[in-house]
Amino acid sequence: MNAEEQAARIKTLDAADPLAHKRDEFELPSETLYLNGNSLGPLPKSARARVQEVVDRQWGQDLIAGWNKHGWIDLPFSVGDKVAGLIGSATGQVICCDSISVNLFKLLTAALRMREDRTVVLSQKGNFPTDLYVAQGVEKLLGNERCSLLTVDESQIREALTEDLAILLLTQVDFRSGSLLDIEALTLAAHEKGILVIWDLAHSAGVIPLELDAWQVDFAVGCGYKFLNGGPGAPAFIYANRKHHDGLVQPLQGWMGHKAPFEFDECYRPAQGVAQFLCGTPNILSLAALDAALDVFDGVDIVALRHKAIQLGELFLELVDGSKALGEFELLSPRAANERGSQLAYAHPQAYAISRALNAEGVIVDFREPNVLRFGFSPLFLSFEDIRRAVERLCYVVTEGIFEAEVHQERKKVT
Ligand SMILES: *Cc1c(COP(=O)(O)O)cnc(C)c1O
């Protein structure tokens, strides 16, 4: 295909994009090509307006009355119910609070108590480190006679499901390669062996169709600041299937998870259901931002988001494949679109310097150790033309050797 035909095709794709109008709902610097919505979603205009309102009027004028007057106290639940709509959950099973790491601790310890005759927690090799760190921490805390972590390659998970396992703790989308696990099939296979499942949906929620209730998932966690665009450090969420609400016990017992926090009872009595997963006072500014950010999803079908994310990724893949200048980029993601999430990862010996040079050129991407460039395709605000321009700038950075400049070699604290 020549350049003209390609330009025409990209124009057609953008013209036919049913989500194109969503871009206007975000604040994005005009010259920036943001292929990083999978790491930190951009600022929705609705979130900016809400945070201003909460700071200036609610907190500024109404002070402590805000807890009742503006429903601050209910935000973990109401925002949770909005997330529920995006992950195939009925209301009353999702709560927004804390980080994924803290929430995994609560879930893992609670789930282990539900399988007292078993000890093994199975996870995947290469899982996001925090998931493994939390499991290792629980192992240390409870001792190996109550918890022992086992990790296997993704391809070995199925055969590793035995009746010794208490918990299957998996991340659906691999944070490096983007490879995608089948939640429904693995949950079913785990249940056949009496194993409880905890899914990490960090790179799934808001971009991949999920049916947690229909798939009978036990527990899940997910991220507020990635595809949900809730802002830096946005509260994470916990999903706990209603079938487990009775008898649930999690050890981070704080007053907000008490049955009646304002009775100031000296004895802890857990609230019913997901409310028990609250620990301390909710982070209202962040919850308000996430609440407003989720309004961007109003009227949006996740199936359409997934479809566009795949189209964006396929276009990127095709343009990189077709470029001689990018011959040294080694694809680490599954080539089949239905086997990966909304990202593509490439290995390159100069990945770090290329990522810095690209960022300086306005193409914002991630670098991941040891040599991985990660491109995220957030379908709410990216156009097909953005993809074309991003690959064009990538070619420029590589063919002109822009990345070789000393300034691009220096490591930053956050990569
Ligand atoms: C981003 C991410 C997290 C983040 O955890 P926090 O504790 O919320 O910072 C956890 N797990 C996975 C798989 C992630 O991609």
Side-chain angles (χ1 to χ4, degrees):
M1 192 182 307
N2 65 32
E4 226 165 81
E5 284 166 350
Q6 194 178 70
R9 183 167 141 240
I10 285 164
K11 256 204 183 113
T12 312
L13 282 167
D14 276 324
D17 175 9
L19 295 164
H21 64 287
K22 282 281 160 187
R23 184 190 181 95
D24 280 347
E25 296 185 27
F26 291 90
E27 297 288 348
L28 276 163
S30 60
E31 277 312 297
T32 297
L33 301 172
Y34 196 63
L35 303 189
N36 223 334
N38 56 327
S39 252
L40 174 68
L43 170 64
K45 291 175 181 168
S46 55
R48 185 166 77 173
R50 178 75 67 80
V51 170
Q52 257 164 8
E53 145 85 14
V54 173
V55 168
D56 293 345
R57 218 173 58 77
Q58 299 187 2
W59 179 19
Q61 298 299 313
D62 295 330
L63 299 152
I64 200 167
W67 286 103
N68 289 314
K69 186 171 175 188
H70 301 295
W72 294 346
I73 197 73
D74 298 319
L75 275 175
F77 306 95
S78 57
V79 181
D81 281 342
K82 278 191 186 176
V83 172
L86 300 175
I87 61 175
S89 165
T91 55
Q93 301 179 111
V94 180
I95 188 157
C96 280
C97 56
D98 302 318
S99 60
I100 285 189
S101 308
V102 172
N103 290 338
L104 275 175
F105 177 84
K106 299 175 208 167
L107 283 181
L108 197 52
T109 43
L112 276 166
R113 270 191 103 257
M114 296 164 61
R115 284 288 176 278
E116 287 203 309
D117 53 331
R118 300 182 181 198
T119 57
V120 181
V121 175
L122 183 77
S123 193
Q124 76 244 71
K125 283 201 162 72
N127 196 352
F128 193 81
T130 213
D131 298 49
L132 300 177
Y133 299 163
V134 168
Q136 289 160 10
V138 172
E139 204 175 25
K140 232 185 270 175
L141 178 72
L142 300 181
N144 279 115
E145 63 283 359
R146 279 299 301 119
C147 174
S148 69
L149 175 67
L150 175 70
T151 57
V152 296
D153 286 336
E154 281 190 357
S155 60
Q156 311 285 305
I157 296 169
R158 280 299 273 265
E159 61 203 75
L161 298 178
T162 64
E163 273 152 24
D164 303 333
L165 265 56
I167 317 290
L168 181 61
L169 168 66
L170 295 175
T171 297
Q172 187 191 19
V173 177
D174 182 278
F175 79 103
R176 279 200 189 85
S177 72
S179 82
L180 183 73
L181 294 178
D182 184 337
I183 295 184
E184 183 177 20
L186 285 166
T187 298
L188 183 66
H191 285 169
E192 280 169 0
K193 304 281 182 188
I195 304 161
L196 292 168
V197 298
I198 304 175
W199 284 98
D200 184 335
L201 307 173
H203 288 278
S204 313
V207 76
I208 292 179
L210 298 164
E211 293 294 343
L212 298 194
D213 284 353
W215 299 338
Q216 298 190 38
V217 166
D218 300 293
F219 302 106
V221 290
C223 198
Y225 56 79
K226 290 174 179 160
F227 288 104
L228 300 184
N229 313 308
F237 65 85
I238 291 183
Y239 164 89
N241 193 302
R242 201 178 304 280
K243 67 186 169 188
H244 297 310
H245 286 192
D246 287 336
L248 203 58
V249 178
Q250 71 90 7
L252 279 183
Q253 300 184 166
W255 72 307
M256 285 290 159
H258 189 279
K259 210 179 183 71
F262 290 90
E263 283 179 11
F264 298 99
D265 185 354
E266 286 187 18
C267 247
Y268 181 77
R269 281 177 296 136
Q272 172 65 18
V274 287
Q276 188 196 145
F277 287 110
L278 280 183
C279 186
T281 306
N283 192 333
I284 298 306
L285 297 181
S286 291
L287 271 169
L290 176 59
D291 186 34
L294 290 169
D295 289 343
V296 174
F297 288 87
D298 279 354
V300 172
D301 180 3
I302 305 282
V303 173
L305 285 175
R306 172 70 173 152
H307 178 71
K308 180 176 169 190
I310 286 178
Q311 282 185 307
L312 292 167
E314 291 288 277
L315 178 64
F316 189 95
L317 192 59
E318 181 190 322
L319 295 176
V320 171
D321 279 348
S323 163
K324 277 203 197 75
L326 303 179
E328 245 194 289
F329 282 73
E330 181 201 342
L331 181 67
L332 297 177
S333 305
R335 200 161 265 283
N338 63 355
E339 290 173 15
R340 56 171 201 261
S342 299
Q343 68 194 60
L344 284 169
Y346 291 87
H348 189 287
Q350 290 294 326
Y352 184 73
I354 293 173
S355 77
R356 297 303 317 152
L358 265 179
N359 285 6
E361 292 293 324
V363 184
I364 313 300
V365 303
D366 263 333
F367 163 80
R368 285 290 174 264
E369 290 288 353
N371 61 348
V372 180
L373 277 162
R374 197 175 67 171
F375 303 90
F377 306 106
S378 196
L380 280 171
F381 58 85
L382 284 175
S383 68
F384 295 93
E385 173 63 9
D386 289 337
I387 300 298
R388 190 195 64 74
R389 287 164 64 206
V391 178
E392 187 176 77
R393 290 191 204 175
L394 178 61
C395 288
Y396 165 72
V397 160
V398 172
T399 42
E400 302 294 318
I402 308 291
F403 66 90
E404 286 163 9
E406 195 142 329
V407 23
H408 298 318
Q409 309 286 332
E410 175 213 350
R411 287 285 162 113
K412 300 258 193 237
K413 198 165 175 183
V414 176
T415 61

